């Protein structure tokens, strides 16, 4: 099938997934123990006022209707208004998206650059010192809570050596150096788990590929070992690695939420935590929809990239 | 006599961990001359592939040569440096493998895979045009059609035969003096196998190379060998000129191997026309739909309009190459899949379209023995537990079932005590016997054997075939015998149907088909059967 | 057939032999030791020279380690040692119950999806949607809705794990269904419930146990993160996460307040993960093969 056909087919297939994300976000409001309307109206509001607010928010309509209305408005770029600040949710998200995207990108780049070679070399010399080192790093990386890693870096690199700022965020517009300087500790914090994940998958995938026949063929052709490993084997091991980078985005976002609190970054994670504490449901819903869509979009890209790594995939 | 190209003397290969422990290869001598094909033949576990990889210096982790010498044109290979071995591989020694699909890198084009060989084995980087010219010439030399386009194809876009030709082109690209072929035709269809064997023979003649050819198939040996080395359990049993070894084998084991090669008709087909039909299949179709996004889908016709009958006590062979639809036909008849349309009349009941619930009582009359004996038994259940399952399902008490099953184990030549053991304790042949006994436990009228002997070593295969023939005469069992190997079908079957691309192209009594094949495809299958002239 | 093939994987059958293998595996042994130790500590918490972990003594705030308070006191004068000991209970309860809920519901859904085709499509789209929302975010939102208590927190952490279990179980079911021995059973007239119980479910147990350990350890980490963010365990419960959350403000003066619970969490999670890794290597023949080398 043509590339455009594949593109279209894959893109259409994510629509139901996005629908489920929206449904979950919508249903969360229904689970809420406290009545957000009562909260919005204040302590002394009379029943008539509450009913009025209810009608204004469309909460007196049947559930399915409410969902469709909400979905319809969302498709037009309206995620509702914050109960607390009265600002549109889209505006709030737009203000906060910068730091989250910045630290996510630095983390992904750093983790791939470090994690893939570690995994490949660990598989190549299975049982060697690098393999053991990588295994223990990943075992530790998976065992320590993200925020504890953050405090470890703060203690070591900020408090002891004074190399990096303890907290805070500087936008890119203030200069690349300053921007990266402030992002270093958050990136190091978030990367550990991600590197561990990528290195592990790269190692497993490479181990599998290295035992395949065509690797033996490549050796039988008298190719140097580095060509056998990095050209023949790695290209075949790429799909699971790329795939874990995509799936790992969920883990990354989870880590971002915590890391932003540790380093006081004014991102979406802080926004959602503050909103939960304030029971600001429209904002929570909005952030969930945004994160969910980002995850789906990134994984769609990952999916489409498979055919670049493996020509067999585009044939289906 | 031509010069000695490869000289293996007293080669011993052992496990790396054990200094003087088990030997995988024990003290073997093999000599390959220029312009000659030496076949190393043996069953699985004979050490023949290990020998081949020792020459390449590519033994898997855990194995290492512990003694002897391997000399290529007088140069010792066993002590050679890693760098020297790397330089020799690909340039002086070429190698081809069993499964060309997995032996080629799936994500690189044919050109890339051939070109890198030139690039990494030359001191000065050749120009792109020069590389292209040589790659093209090599592909054309292997009689690959459309070589200029094929250069840019990926392995999965080629047929099995084309892939193996590409492999050979790659192995021969730098004009090596020695070609090592490790079961290069085992994974191929028989007609393709014939072409590849011809190609290798032709190369030997044209380029005066020596070939070390590893195989398990004496038919293939008979077709191409100049000299034969028979191996068993890591040691050489017998070696010598091909005519001598094939014609007058000195060792009993060699004779056993040669005798075990199926050669076509051995049992005279008695007239069974009066036997009542137990199975009648009419207009059976199986279609797989791949529905596209906009309804424009591709449709695969796995089986088209199959019609046949099977009489009581009759063995009907279904012969075809891969993709012919023979296995789909078997699975439809056993109702492991639901056919698209058609009629399967089993003992008077049409089971083609009935629900699973209606089907269940009829299942006992039709049982299947599968190809891979390693996957046909649940590894977590004891042999006994697996075997009584069917009998208990059809209403017997476990006690009765056990007694019945132990009698059946004796029938297939196994000790009834094996019931308490687990599948992993048995060899492939033993497992296949257990599977046959299990299939018989529900007293079926029809046994479907889906490539049931293809995964077995040739001597074991001969025993299992004998068991099938025996069961037929003792139990009056009807069989649908699915195979890719016309010779095997000829050994066992009363009638044969030949399938190609989902269609039954020819059917008739075995003797008639062997004596006078009508369809061109059947004739091609006969012409391609290895070892026809020399072993008859 | 090439001689250099690896013998087919065989599952271990004999339970006693398996237990023996289990205890000789150093990774598994390490994990088991930590878990057993933790279980003992949490059962006998009140005998381990502890005081009421919630007792506030404003005059004894932020004391260094002493004979009375072995590891010192926190910002409210509570005894760190006692809080650490009692905190093990919280972690074990959270890890255990989350793993149980997720595995029970997830494997049920996975089995259904693997066996019934039309449900499969609907169910898997639902699962895809749930997996698109990061686990911690979904848990945060759920707790925001349900209100924080130990029960709601366990549920909120367990729900995002359900799709992962369901997917794994489903994929095993789909693979095993294609096995020749399952087809043989079908052709011998074995009914669906028996087919599942006898041939399919046993294949799921091993990966399920392994996954349960990973879920338990990730639950402990998520609980800690939630408490750290201030939306986890109620303040009066002495959880390790709460202790670290309290320690934030005093991190520059008393890093130890964060260090001790951090080490406890890391050791617990490490133990559970090692147990899971060890079991996986023993139970997954595919990976075992890659370690064993040619035979």
């Amino acid at each position: 099938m043509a590339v455009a056909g594949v593109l279209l087919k894959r893109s259409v297939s994510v629509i139901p997934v996005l629908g489920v994300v929206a449904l979950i976000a919508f249903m969360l409001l229904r689970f809420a123990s406290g009545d957000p309307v009562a909260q919005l109206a204040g302590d002394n509001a009379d029943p008539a006022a509450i009913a009025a607010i209810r009608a204004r928010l469309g909460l007196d309509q049947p559930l399915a209707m409410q969902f469709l209305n909400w979905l319809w408005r969302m498709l037009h770029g309206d995620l509702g208004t914050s109960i607390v600040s009265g600002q549109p949710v889209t505006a709030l998200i737009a203000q906060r998206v910068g730091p989250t995207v910045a630290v996510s990108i630095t983390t992904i780049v750093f983790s791939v650059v470090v994690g893939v070679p570690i995994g490949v070399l660990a598989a190549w010399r299975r049982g060697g010192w690098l393999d053991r080192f990588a295994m223990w790093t990943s075992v530790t990386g998976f065992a320590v809570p993200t925020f504890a890693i953050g405090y470890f870096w703060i203690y070591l690199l900020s408090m002891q050596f004074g190399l990096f700022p303890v907290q805070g965020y500087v936008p890119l517009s203030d200069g690349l150096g300053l921007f990266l300087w402030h992002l270093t500790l958050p990136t190091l914090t978030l990367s550990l788990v991600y590197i561990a994940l990528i290195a592990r998958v790269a190692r497993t995938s490479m181990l599998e590929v290295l035992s395949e026949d065509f690797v033996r063929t490549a050796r039988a052709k008298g190719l140097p070992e580095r060509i056998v490993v990095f050209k023949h084997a790695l290209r075949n091991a790429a799909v699971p690695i790329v795939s874990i980078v995509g799936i790992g985005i969920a883990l990354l976002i989870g880590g971002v939420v915590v890391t932003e609190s540790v380093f006081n970054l004014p991102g979406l994670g802080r926004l959602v935590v503050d909103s939960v504490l304030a029971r600001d449901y429209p904002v929570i819903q909005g952030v969930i929809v945004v994160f969910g869509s980002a995850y789906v979009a990134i994984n769609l890209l990952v999916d489409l990239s498979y055919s670049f790594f493996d020509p067999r995939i585009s044939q289906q | 006599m031509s010069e000695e190209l490869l000289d293996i003397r007293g080669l011993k290969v052992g496990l790396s961990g054990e200094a003087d422990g088990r030997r995988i290869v024990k003290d073997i001598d093999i000599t390959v001359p220029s312009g000659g094909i030496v076949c190393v033949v043996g069953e699985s576990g004979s050490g023949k592939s290990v020998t081949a990889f020792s020459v390449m210096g590519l033994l898997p982790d855990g194995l290492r040569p512990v003694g002897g010498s391997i000399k290529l044109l007088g140069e010792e290979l066993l002590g050679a440096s890693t760098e020297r071995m790397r330089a020799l591989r690909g340039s002086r020694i070429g190698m081809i493998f069993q499964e060309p699909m997995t032996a080629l890198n799936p994500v690189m084009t044919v050109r890339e895979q051939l070109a890198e060989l030139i690039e990494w084995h030359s001191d000065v980087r050749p120009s792109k045009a020069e590389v292209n010219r040589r790659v093209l010439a090599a592909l054309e030399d292997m009689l690959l059609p459309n070589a200029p386009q094929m250069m840019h194809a990926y392995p999965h876009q080629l047929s099995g035969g084309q892939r193996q030709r590409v492999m050979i082109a790659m192995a021969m690209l730098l004009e090596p003096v020695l070609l090592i072929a490790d079961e290069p035709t085992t994974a191929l269809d028989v007609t393709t196998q014939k072409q590849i064997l011809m190609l290798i023979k032709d190369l030997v003649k044209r380029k005066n190379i020596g070939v070390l050819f590893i195989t398990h198939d004496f038919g293939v040996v008979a077709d191409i060998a100049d000299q034969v080395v028979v191996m068993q359990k890591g040691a050489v049993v017998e070696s010598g000129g091909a005519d001598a070894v094939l014609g007058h084998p000195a060792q009993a084991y060699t004779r056993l191997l040669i005798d075990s090669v199926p050669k076509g008709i051995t049992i005279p087909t008695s007239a069974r026309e009066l036997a009542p039909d137990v199975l009648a299949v009419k207009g059976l179709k199986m279609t797989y739909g791949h529905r596209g996004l906009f309804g424009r889908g591709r449709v695969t016709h796995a089986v088209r309009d199959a019609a046949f009958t099977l009489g009581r006590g009759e063995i009907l062979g279904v012969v075809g190459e891969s993709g012919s639809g023979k296995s789909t036909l078997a699975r439809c008849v056993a109702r492991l899949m639901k056919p698209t349309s058609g009629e399967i009349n089993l003992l008077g009941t049409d089971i083609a379209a009935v629900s699973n619930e209606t089907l269940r009582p009829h299942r006992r009359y039709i049982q299947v023995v599968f190809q891979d004996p390693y996957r046909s038994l649940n590894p977590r259940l004891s042999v006994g537990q697996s075997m009584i399952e069917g009998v208990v399902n059809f209403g017997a008490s476990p006690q009765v079932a056990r007694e019945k099953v132990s009698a059946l184990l004796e029938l297939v030549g196994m000790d009834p005590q094996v019931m308490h053991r687990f599948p992993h304790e048995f060899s492939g042949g033993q497992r296949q016997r257990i599977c046959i006994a299990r299939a018989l436990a529900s007293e079926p009228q029809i046994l479907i054997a889906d490539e049931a002997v293809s995964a077995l070593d040739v001597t074991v295969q001969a025993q299992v075939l004998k068991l099938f023939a025996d069961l037929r005469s003792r139990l009056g069992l009807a069989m649908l015998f699915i195979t890719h190997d016309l010779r095997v079908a000829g050994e066992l079957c009363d009638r044969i149907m030949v399938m190609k691309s989902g269609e039954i192209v020819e059917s008739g009594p075995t003797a008639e088909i062997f004596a006078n094949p009508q369809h061109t495809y059947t004739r091609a299958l006969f012409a391609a059967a290895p070892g026809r002239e020399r072993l008859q | 057939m090439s001689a250099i093939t690896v013998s087919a994987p065989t599952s271990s059958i004999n339970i006693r032999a398996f237990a023996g293998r289990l205890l000789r595996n150093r990774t598994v042994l390490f994990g088991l030791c930590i878990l057993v130790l933790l279980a003992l500590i949490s059962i006998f918490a009140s005998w381990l020279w502890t005081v009421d972990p919630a007792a506030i003594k404003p005059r004894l705030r932020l004391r260094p380690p002493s004979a009375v308070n072995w590891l010192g006191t926190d910002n409210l004068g509570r005894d760190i040692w006692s809080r650490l000991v009692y905190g093990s209970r919280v972690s074990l309860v959270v890890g255990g119950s989350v793993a149980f809920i997720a595995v029970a519901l997830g494997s049920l859904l996975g089995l259904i999806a693997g066996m019934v085709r039309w449900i499969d499509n609907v169910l898997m789209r639902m699962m895809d949607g749930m997996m698109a929302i990061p686990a911690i975010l979904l848990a945060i939102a759920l707790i925001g809705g349900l209100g924080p208590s130990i029960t709601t927190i366990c549920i909120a952490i367990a729900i995002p794990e359900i799709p992962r279990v369901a997917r794994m179980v489903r994929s095993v079911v789909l693979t095993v269904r294609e096995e020749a021995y399952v087809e043989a059973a079908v052709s011998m007239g074995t009914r669906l419930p028996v087919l599942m119980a006898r041939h399919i479910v046993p294949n799921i147990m091993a990966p399920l146990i392994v996954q349960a350990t990973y879920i338990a350890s990730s639950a402990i980490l998520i609980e800690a993160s939630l408490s750290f963010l201030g939306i986890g365990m109620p303040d009066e419960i002495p959880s390790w996460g709460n202790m670290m959350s309290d320690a934030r403000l005093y991190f520059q003066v008393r890093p130890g307040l964060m260090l001790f619970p951090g080490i406890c969490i890391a050791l617990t999670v490490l133990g559970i993960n090692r147990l899971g890794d060890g079991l996986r290597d023993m139970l997954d023949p595919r990976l075992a093969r890659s370690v064993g080398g040619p035979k």
Side-chain angles (χ1 to χ4, degrees):
Chain A
M1 205 184 286
V3 179
V6 176
L7 199 80
L8 193 66
K9 203 171 158 186
R10 296 277 155 85
S11 309
V12 168
S13 72
V14 302
I15 290 175
V17 178
L18 286 173
V20 174
V21 171
L23 186 65
I24 293 170
F26 175 77
M27 290 308 289
L28 280 173
L29 189 60
R30 308 295 123 192
F31 280 127
S33 49
D35 185 347
V37 177
Q39 205 186 350
L40 188 61
D43 290 339
N44 306 322
D46 59 291
I50 289 178
I53 294 171
R54 203 173 276 281
R56 182 162 60 83
L57 293 176
L59 295 177
D60 53 348
Q61 289 172 0
L63 210 57
M65 212 48 218
Q66 287 181 35
F67 177 59
L68 291 177
N69 278 332
W70 181 71
L71 209 58
W72 183 251
R73 285 200 302 273
M74 198 166 68
L75 290 175
H76 291 76
D78 176 9
L79 289 168
T81 18
S82 159
I83 295 176
V84 175
S85 67
Q87 280 185 287
V89 172
T90 41
L92 281 173
I93 289 176
Q95 286 166 20
R96 301 291 201 100
V97 81
T100 304
V101 170
V103 75
S104 300
I105 290 177
T106 52
T107 302
I108 292 173
V109 171
F110 183 67
S111 305
V112 170
V113 167
V114 176
V116 173
I118 289 182
V120 169
L121 294 173
W124 182 55
R125 284 282 174 258
R126 191 178 60 202
W129 65 267
L130 182 69
D131 192 14
R132 260 174 279 171
F133 168 77
M135 193 199 73
W136 276 105
T137 315
S138 80
V139 164
T140 321
F142 284 125
V144 183
T146 312
F147 58 89
I149 297 168
Y151 280 101
F152 170 75
W153 289 128
I154 291 177
Y155 181 79
L156 189 74
L157 297 180
S158 296
M159 287 163 59
Q160 297 298 320
F161 294 103
L163 292 175
F164 296 100
V166 175
Q167 286 184 326
Y169 173 74
V170 172
L172 184 55
S173 50
D174 288 8
L176 182 67
L178 208 56
F179 168 78
L180 288 178
W181 189 52
H182 278 83
L183 280 179
T184 305
L185 289 188
T187 303
L188 286 179
T189 303
L190 267 174
S191 297
L192 188 58
V193 171
Y194 214 30
I195 289 173
L197 190 70
I198 292 174
R200 234 182 214 213
V201 171
R203 177 182 181 273
T204 315
S205 175
M206 280 297 285
L207 275 182
E208 208 153 286
V209 170
L210 282 173
S211 68
E212 290 205 34
D213 289 355
F214 61 81
V215 171
R216 192 179 57 185
T217 308
R219 290 193 174 126
K221 281 155 80 174
L223 300 179
E225 199 60 16
R226 72 197 138 91
I227 299 294
V228 174
V229 172
F230 283 98
K231 190 170 169 194
H232 283 261
L234 183 56
R235 261 179 81 176
N236 278 280
V239 166
I241 300 175
V242 176
S243 151
I244 199 66
V245 172
I247 294 167
I249 298 287
L251 197 73
L252 176 71
I253 294 172
V256 167
V257 173
V258 179
T259 309
E260 284 178 1
S261 273
V262 174
F263 293 98
N264 212 7
L265 306 178
L268 289 177
R270 285 284 304 287
L271 180 64
V272 77
V273 172
D274 293 343
S275 306
V276 167
L277 295 173
R279 296 184 169 271
D280 196 346
Y281 293 107
V283 180
I284 304 174
Q285 287 179 324
V287 176
I288 285 181
V289 168
V290 167
F291 272 141
S293 313
Y295 176 84
V296 171
I298 290 169
N299 279 284
L300 178 66
L301 287 179
V302 164
D303 236 34
L304 295 172
S305 77
Y306 290 165
S307 60
F308 169 75
F309 292 103
D310 191 339
R312 284 168 298 179
I313 288 172
S314 58
Q315 293 289 308
Q316 288 157 10
Chain B
M1 194 66 203
S2 48
E3 59 173 315
E4 275 176 13
L5 182 63
L6 178 73
D7 194 19
I8 303 177
R9 285 277 154 249
L11 177 69
K12 302 181 191 70
V13 178
L15 301 170
S16 306
E18 304 163 26
D20 36 33
R22 206 150 60 89
R23 295 276 181 267
I24 306 297
V25 167
K26 305 162 192 162
D27 218 349
I28 61 163
D29 300 333
I30 296 173
T31 308
V32 181
S34 291
I37 301 178
V38 175
C39 276
V40 179
V41 58
E43 299 188 291
S44 48
S46 62
K48 55 190 193 299
S49 287
V50 172
T51 306
F53 283 104
S54 304
V55 177
M56 291 299 276
L58 285 177
L59 283 173
D61 293 344
L63 293 183
R64 65 187 179 92
V66 288
S69 92
I70 299 175
K71 286 198 173 114
L72 181 72
L73 290 171
E75 180 182 357
E76 179 60 52
L77 300 185
L78 277 187
S81 71
T82 319
E83 202 39 44
R84 178 62 189 154
M85 281 311 291
R86 186 186 78 68
L88 286 175
R89 286 199 292 267
S91 65
R92 308 300 284 157
I93 317 173
M95 184 158 186
I96 57 176
F97 304 93
Q98 174 171 358
E99 179 50 88
M101 180 69 217
T102 57
L104 287 165
N105 190 328
V107 306
M108 288 168 70
T109 61
V110 169
R111 196 202 91 88
E112 283 178 274
Q113 299 192 48
L114 269 76
E116 63 177 2
L117 201 55
I118 302 175
E119 282 154 14
W120 288 108
H121 281 288
S122 45
D123 302 326
V124 256
R125 200 180 173 83
S127 73
K128 199 179 168 207
E130 166 70 7
V131 172
N132 278 349
R133 192 190 57 73
R134 287 176 66 183
V135 168
L136 196 62
L139 291 176
E140 276 169 350
D141 201 24
M142 297 307 136
L143 309 173
L144 277 160
N146 280 333
Q149 281 102 314
M150 198 160 281
M151 267 177 42
H152 303 289
Y154 289 97
H156 70 271
Q157 295 166 322
L158 310 178
S159 72
Q162 289 171 338
R163 284 180 207 129
Q164 197 60 293
R165 280 169 197 268
V166 168
M167 275 302 292
I168 299 174
M170 200 151 79
M172 297 302 298
L173 185 61
L174 300 181
E175 315 240 306
V177 289
L178 175 69
L179 179 68
I180 299 178
D182 183 19
E183 301 260 11
T185 58
T186 308
L188 302 175
D189 280 331
V190 58
T191 45
T192 319
Q193 163 169 297
K194 185 83 182 175
Q195 294 162 10
I196 297 293
L197 293 178
M198 301 271 284
L199 179 66
I200 293 175
K201 261 176 125 162
D202 179 53
L203 281 174
V204 171
K205 212 173 289 167
R206 270 172 31 214
K207 312 210 172 199
N208 198 38
I209 55 169
V211 176
L212 184 65
F213 194 105
I214 312 293
T215 183
H216 70 283
D217 187 342
F218 252 105
V220 171
V221 175
D223 268 4
I224 64 159
D226 296 317
Q227 286 177 53
V228 181
V229 177
V230 182
M231 283 185 73
Q232 184 190 20
K233 292 176 187 152
V236 172
V237 175
E238 179 168 2
S239 64
D243 289 322
V245 174
L246 291 172
H248 314 280
Q251 299 294 324
Y253 180 67
T254 314
R255 179 170 297 281
L256 176 68
L257 285 181
I258 294 173
D259 287 346
S260 300
V261 176
K263 294 169 192 70
I265 311 174
T266 52
I267 43 165
T269 36
S270 47
R272 291 174 185 276
E273 276 138 36
L274 291 176
D277 287 349
V278 286
L279 180 75
V281 172
K282 266 184 230 152
L284 189 76
K285 275 197 197 111
M286 184 70 208
T287 326
Y288 299 108
H290 304 277
R291 203 149 43 98
L293 181 58
F294 305 108
R296 117 201 108 123
R298 283 172 303 163
V299 171
T300 311
H301 297 277
V303 177
R304 308 165 195 249
D305 270 319
F308 62 91
T309 59
L310 185 62
R312 195 178 139 69
E314 184 183 37
I315 301 184
L316 174 60
V318 183
V319 180
E321 297 185 298
S322 52
S324 63
K326 58 187 192 304
S327 277
T328 307
L329 178 68
R331 294 167 59 81
C332 284
V333 171
R335 267 307 302 276
L336 290 171
M337 51 171 64
K338 203 169 185 168
T340 313
S341 66
E343 203 178 293
I344 302 169
N345 207 311
L346 171 68
L347 300 167
T349 317
D350 181 11
I351 58 163
V354 298
S355 72
N356 278 326
E357 210 42 51
T358 324
L359 181 63
R360 184 163 293 116
H362 297 285
R363 282 204 185 276
R364 65 182 302 175
Y365 300 117
I366 190 156
Q367 289 292 314
V368 190
V369 179
F370 296 94
Q371 170 169 8
D372 187 349
Y374 288 93
R375 295 177 63 181
S376 317
L377 291 167
N378 188 337
R380 288 164 215 274
L381 299 181
S382 73
V383 166
Q385 283 172 309
S386 279
M387 289 184 69
I388 65 167
E389 184 168 18
V391 191
V392 173
N393 284 338
F394 294 118
S397 75
Q399 187 50 43
V400 174
R402 253 189 293 275
E403 278 163 23
K404 186 169 184 180
V405 160
S406 76
L408 282 168
L409 278 170
E410 268 180 85
L411 183 70
V412 299
M414 300 277 293
D415 181 352
Q417 287 306 312
V418 305
M419 276 211 286
H420 307 290
R421 289 162 59 186
F422 286 89
H424 69 266
E425 300 174 49
F426 299 96
S427 70
Q430 289 171 322
R431 286 189 202 202
Q432 205 58 304
R433 283 174 193 272
I434 292 169
C435 289
I436 293 168
R438 173 178 62 178
L440 296 176
S442 66
E443 297 175 10
Q445 301 281 323
I446 301 166
L447 192 65
I448 298 181
D450 187 4
E451 296 274 16
V453 296
S454 351
L456 305 175
D457 275 332
V458 61
T459 49
V460 183
Q461 175 178 324
Q463 292 162 9
V464 174
L465 285 176
K466 202 162 156 291
L467 175 64
F468 277 135
D470 191 38
L471 290 174
R472 182 262 296 272
S473 53
R474 284 168 73 170
L475 305 175
L477 201 61
M479 281 182 62
L480 199 56
F481 188 86
I482 317 290
T483 180
H484 66 281
D485 193 335
L486 203 50
R487 301 169 300 171
V488 172
E491 297 256 297
L492 185 67
C493 303
D494 304 311
R495 276 194 303 140
I496 286 179
M497 300 198 300
V498 179
M499 281 187 82
K500 183 176 191 276
S501 317
E503 252 171 305
I504 299 174
V505 295
E506 179 163 6
S507 71
T510 306
E512 260 174 51
I513 293 215
F514 269 66
N516 189 13
Q518 297 296 308
H519 198 273
T520 46
Y521 179 67
T522 317
R523 280 194 222 122
L525 283 181
F526 274 111
R532 213 159 41 99
E533 302 90 5
R534 226 159 166 180
L535 284 178
Q536 288 297 338
Chain C
M1 307 281 293
S2 162
I4 309 180
T5 49
V6 179
S7 60
T10 51
S11 311
S12 101
I13 311 294
N14 188 326
I15 290 174
R16 188 178 291 175
F18 183 73
R21 248 178 359 121
L22 209 63
L23 293 178
R24 262 178 278 122
N25 182 316
R26 270 173 36 207
T27 315
V28 172
L29 201 62
F30 173 77
L32 272 180
C33 283
I34 289 189
L35 269 188
V36 169
L37 185 69
L38 207 65
L40 290 176
I41 289 177
S42 63
I43 291 169
F44 299 107
S46 47
W47 282 280
L48 291 170
W49 306 277
T50 51
V51 296
D52 179 3
I56 297 173
K57 291 182 182 130
R59 278 181 304 156
L60 295 173
R61 296 175 66 227
L62 296 172
R63 285 297 167 97
S66 67
V68 186
N69 303 110
W70 292 0
L71 298 175
T73 60
D74 71 0
N75 55 316
L76 295 176
R78 294 173 294 196
D79 180 44
I80 305 270
W81 167 254
S82 306
R83 287 177 74 73
L84 282 180
V85 168
Y86 279 94
S88 66
R89 286 188 177 176
V90 180
S91 286
L92 282 187
V93 166
V94 170
S97 51
V98 167
F100 179 78
I101 298 171
V103 164
L105 294 179
S107 48
L108 186 69
L109 292 179
L111 278 178
I112 294 172
M115 299 308 291
V116 191
R117 189 161 292 171
W118 67 269
I119 298 183
D120 183 28
N121 264 322
V122 180
L123 212 55
M124 281 302 125
R125 290 296 83 71
M126 296 291 295
M127 299 289 126
D128 286 347
M130 279 176 78
M131 283 177 54
I133 304 171
I136 205 169
L137 197 64
L138 192 53
I140 289 174
L142 282 169
I143 294 169
L146 299 167
S149 76
I150 197 156
T151 319
T152 56
I153 286 172
C154 289
I155 293 173
I157 299 175
I159 286 178
E161 301 287 350
I162 290 173
R164 280 165 256 272
V165 180
R167 282 199 139 196
M168 190 275 293
V169 170
R170 170 180 174 271
S171 76
V172 176
V173 171
L174 291 182
T175 318
V176 177
R177 270 178 66 164
E178 301 293 314
E179 288 286 341
Y181 65 80
V182 173
E183 294 205 314
V186 169
S187 77
M188 286 184 303
T190 305
R191 283 166 201 278
L192 190 64
V194 181
L195 197 70
M196 302 271 287
R198 182 187 269 248
H199 297 288
I200 293 179
V201 171
N203 285 292
I204 299 168
M205 293 315 289
L208 212 53
I209 291 170
V210 173
Q211 204 175 19
T213 63
Y214 294 145
I215 291 175
S217 66
S218 108
I220 292 172
L221 287 176
I222 291 180
E223 185 274 320
S225 291
L226 290 174
S227 298
F228 175 79
L229 292 173
I231 35 190
M233 291 293 166
D235 272 345
E236 64 274 14
I237 295 177
S239 90
W240 294 335
N242 273 344
M243 292 176 73
M244 295 181 82
S245 179
D246 293 339
R248 288 177 73 175
L249 294 175
Y250 310 95
F251 179 65
Q252 312 242 359
V253 264
R254 292 286 308 277
L257 289 182
M258 192 158 284
L259 187 66
F260 295 128
I263 288 174
C264 287
I265 291 176
L267 269 181
T268 307
V269 173
L270 187 71
I272 303 177
N273 277 346
R274 294 312 283 160
L275 180 64
D277 289 349
L279 285 173
R280 183 200 56 203
D281 292 347
M282 288 176 66
L283 296 171
D284 188 339
R286 227 163 41 97
L287 289 167
R289 186 187 58 187
S290 73
V291 179
K295 293 193 178 134

